[in-house]
Amino acid sequence: MTIKILKNDTCPSISGKSTLKYQIGCDDDDAIFLRITGSSGGGFFSNEWIAFTSIRALLDKHPAEKPITSIVLYPLFRGKSVNTPSFLLAALVHEKVLMPMKGKQRCHEVGDMKIFAEKTAKLTSRTVKKKAPVKKKRVAKKKATAKHRSARGS
């Protein structure tokens, strides 16, 4: 699967102790993906692309009355670095998919998914796949050879 990078961005980690780098991309069907690409804190992480539909499914399944923490995102990274769910959570907060809960440290609630959908739709529309220009066949003109020139009386 090929993912086209739509956006490179940075955000603070949830603890605020480091800066994270992440990317938003899309596949050939314009499905949205996210991945973590760097951490100034030096912690290990997985840089695999995660489908936004998978993220959304976990958030939709989570009880609305319960706060969202990085633990909710762990199923996306089984057998991977334990830092990655927290790093992805920070990117989702930066994109306003999730919002910090007032008065509760490291607890979040679902933000406005519509805003994220609109932003990513704009990004995918900017990367319209251009078709390769069609080459027109050129009719080759015959060059006059010495024999032709002498035959024509030149």
Side-chain angles (χ1 to χ4, degrees):
M1 168 176 53
T2 303
I3 303 290
K4 182 175 180 95
I5 297 168
L6 303 172
K7 179 180 178 181
N8 287 295
D9 209 345
T10 60
C11 65
S13 64
I14 295 299
S15 69
K17 294 178 182 176
S18 63
T19 300
L20 306 171
K21 293 180 183 179
Y22 68 95
Q23 294 176 326
I24 297 175
C26 69
D27 65 9
D28 292 335
D29 296 322
D30 287 340
I32 299 298
F33 291 79
L34 287 93
R35 74 172 172 179
I36 304 301
T37 59
S39 169
S40 67
F44 291 108
F45 60 90
S46 170
N47 70 346
E48 69 184 284
W49 288 105
I50 302 297
F52 187 71
T53 54
S54 298
I55 297 166
R56 179 79 191 250
L58 286 176
L59 297 176
D60 288 347
K61 194 167 65 170
H62 190 73
E65 68 279 357
K66 289 190 173 183
I68 296 169
T69 64
S70 62
I71 293 169
V72 172
L73 302 174
Y74 271 68
L76 299 171
F77 303 100
R78 292 200 193 281
K80 308 289 181 185
S81 170
V82 295
N83 293 328
T84 313
S86 296
F87 292 177
L88 179 61
L89 182 81
L92 294 172
V93 169
H94 191 252
E95 290 295 328
K96 301 197 179 0
V97 170
L98 298 174
M99 305 295 285
M101 291 182 85
K102 291 182 175 151
K104 293 193 175 186
Q105 189 176 6
R106 297 184 188 194
C107 292
H108 300 82
E109 58 191 348
V110 174
D112 192 342
M113 295 280 190
K114 187 178 176 183
I115 292 172
F116 182 74
E118 289 170 357
K119 287 191 323 189
T120 55
K122 284 179 187 174
L123 290 172
T124 56
S125 69
R126 277 194 248 154
T127 60
V128 175
K129 295 156 187 83
K130 295 181 182 175
K131 292 183 179 179
V134 177
K135 292 183 180 179
K136 293 182 180 178
K137 290 185 178 180
R138 292 173 54 183
V139 178
K141 293 181 182 178
K142 291 186 177 180
K143 291 183 180 178
T145 60
K147 284 184 181 179
H148 270 353
R149 278 188 241 140
S150 62
R152 290 190 309 202
S154 320

